[in-house]
């Protein structure tokens, strides 16, 4: 079974440009998460989808970031316009359906390294 | 809010040395605790976990015990190998995951 995949693996863009990151979760996983690690600091939560719905987007830094998950399958994270401080590694993770109060292991993709010049 | 603090790296050890990476947490209630590992060029992988106080998670020779009295979840391995070189992240969850900053471990032959 394929794991979580992310595309591209590395993106280098100039300040002010737009970049779209893609995540393909494990097939059948309802939960999809985005995280990012900036400048070697802690990995921070961005948002959580349950199927196509945004369950929690409290970690999104500002309105330059837009995440979508049309059809409840793959997800995209668009940064428009990109700023220097957006550089970092963006991770995607997925997990199966969970009942309230329980935890399902999150399976992570390899990440997309974004460099904004 | 919930948070995780882990020892800063990088950590460099010789093969067969003893490893400890400290992790402490701040959280209300009883979170689940995790150690994730990221090998070069790969994604995060769950290394071990503990879901309640005094639980010990173990995998691949690594161990960590959930200590509620000290709010800690230190990672240990008795004899590291070169293949253990990676970045290790401590994390907690009740709903979403909260990670520490990561500790880079390099093991030299």
């Amino acid at each position: 079974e394929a794991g979580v995949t992310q595309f591209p693996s590395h993106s280098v863009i100039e300040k002010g440009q737009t970049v779209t990151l893609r995540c393909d979760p494990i097939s059948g996983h309802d939960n999809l998460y985005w995280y990012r690690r900036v400048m070697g600091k802690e990995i921070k939560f961005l948002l959580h989808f349950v199927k196509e719905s945004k369950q929690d987007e409290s970690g999104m830094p500002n309105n330059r970031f837009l995440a979508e998950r049309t059809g409840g399958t793959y997800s995209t994270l668009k940064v428009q316009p990109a700023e220097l401080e957006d550089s970092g590694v963006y991770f995607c993770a997925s997990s199966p359906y969970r009942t309230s109060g329980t935890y399902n292991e999150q399976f992570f993709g390899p990440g997309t390294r974004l460099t904004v010049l | 809010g919930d948070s995780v603090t882990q020892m800063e790296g990088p950590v460099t050890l010789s093969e067969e040395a003893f490893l400890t990476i400290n992790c402490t947490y701040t959280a209300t209630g009883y979170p689940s605790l995790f150690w994730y590992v990221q090998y070069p060029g790969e994604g995060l992988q769950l290394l071990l976990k503990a879901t309640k106080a005094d639980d010990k998670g173990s995998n691949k020779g690594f161990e960590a015990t959930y200590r509620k009295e000290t709010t800690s979840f230190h990672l240990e391995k008795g004899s590291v190998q070169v293949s253990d070189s990676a970045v290790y992240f401590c994390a907690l969850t009740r709903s979403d995951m909260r990670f520490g900053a990561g500790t880079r471990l390099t093991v030299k032959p």
Side-chain angles (χ1 to χ4, degrees):
Chain A
E1 180 182 348
V4 177
T5 57
Q6 293 186 244
F7 182 82
S9 57
H10 194 179
S11 179
V12 180
I13 61 172
E14 294 189 351
K15 175 183 173 180
Q17 290 185 321
T18 298
V19 63
T20 300
L21 314 181
R22 173 170 170 145
C23 169
D24 285 80
I26 293 172
S27 177
H29 280 191
D30 288 342
N31 295 288
L32 188 149
Y33 307 83
W34 282 99
Y35 298 86
R36 75 171 178 177
R37 188 183 189 210
V38 175
M39 292 291 291
K41 296 184 178 179
E42 68 270 24
I43 299 171
K44 287 195 172 181
F45 167 81
L46 295 178
L47 88 159
H48 170 205
F49 284 100
V50 177
K51 296 185 179 179
E52 67 275 10
S53 300
K54 292 177 184 175
Q55 183 77 8
D56 180 356
E57 52 183 331
S58 61
M60 294 288 265
N62 53 61
N63 59 10
R64 295 185 294 103
F65 290 75
L66 175 63
E68 295 180 324
R69 192 183 182 195
T70 306
T73 54
Y74 71 91
S75 174
T76 58
L77 179 65
K78 179 188 290 187
V79 185
Q80 180 181 28
E83 299 290 344
L84 299 179
E85 63 265 25
D86 300 332
S87 296
V89 180
Y90 290 76
F91 292 101
C92 176
S94 72
S95 69
Y97 170 78
R98 69 181 183 193
T99 56
S100 177
T102 64
Y103 169 76
N104 281 331
E105 177 183 346
Q106 294 183 25
F107 297 85
F108 282 80
T112 293
R113 180 173 296 277
L114 174 63
T115 302
V116 183
L117 303 176
Chain B
D2 296 352
S3 65
V4 175
T5 302
Q6 62 181 101
M7 66 183 287
E8 295 184 12
V11 175
T12 302
L13 296 174
S14 297
E15 207 165 22
E16 299 184 2
F18 184 85
L19 169 71
T20 299
I21 301 178
N22 290 337
C23 171
T24 57
Y25 68 90
T26 301
T28 56
Y30 301 90
S32 295
L33 302 175
F34 307 85
W35 278 99
Y36 278 83
V37 58
Q38 185 181 21
Y39 298 104
E42 299 184 15
L44 290 169
Q45 300 175 24
L46 179 64
L47 180 60
L48 54 84
K49 68 179 181 183
T51 57
K52 60 183 187 296
D54 300 325
D55 268 2
K56 177 185 284 188
S58 61
N59 185 24
K60 299 181 181 180
F62 290 89
E63 292 183 341
T65 302
Y66 190 143
R67 301 286 188 198
K68 185 162 173 45
E69 64 275 14
T70 54
T71 62
S72 65
F73 193 55
H74 304 321
L75 182 68
E76 297 182 335
K77 186 174 186 181
S79 176
V80 294
Q81 305 300 312
V82 173
S83 57
D84 294 326
S85 297
V87 182
Y88 292 80
F89 295 90
C90 185
L92 66 78
T93 189
R94 284 179 298 137
S95 54
D96 59 83
M97 298 285 290
R98 303 295 173 96
F99 289 88
T103 302
R104 179 176 298 278
L105 170 67
T106 301
V107 181
K108 296 185 175 181

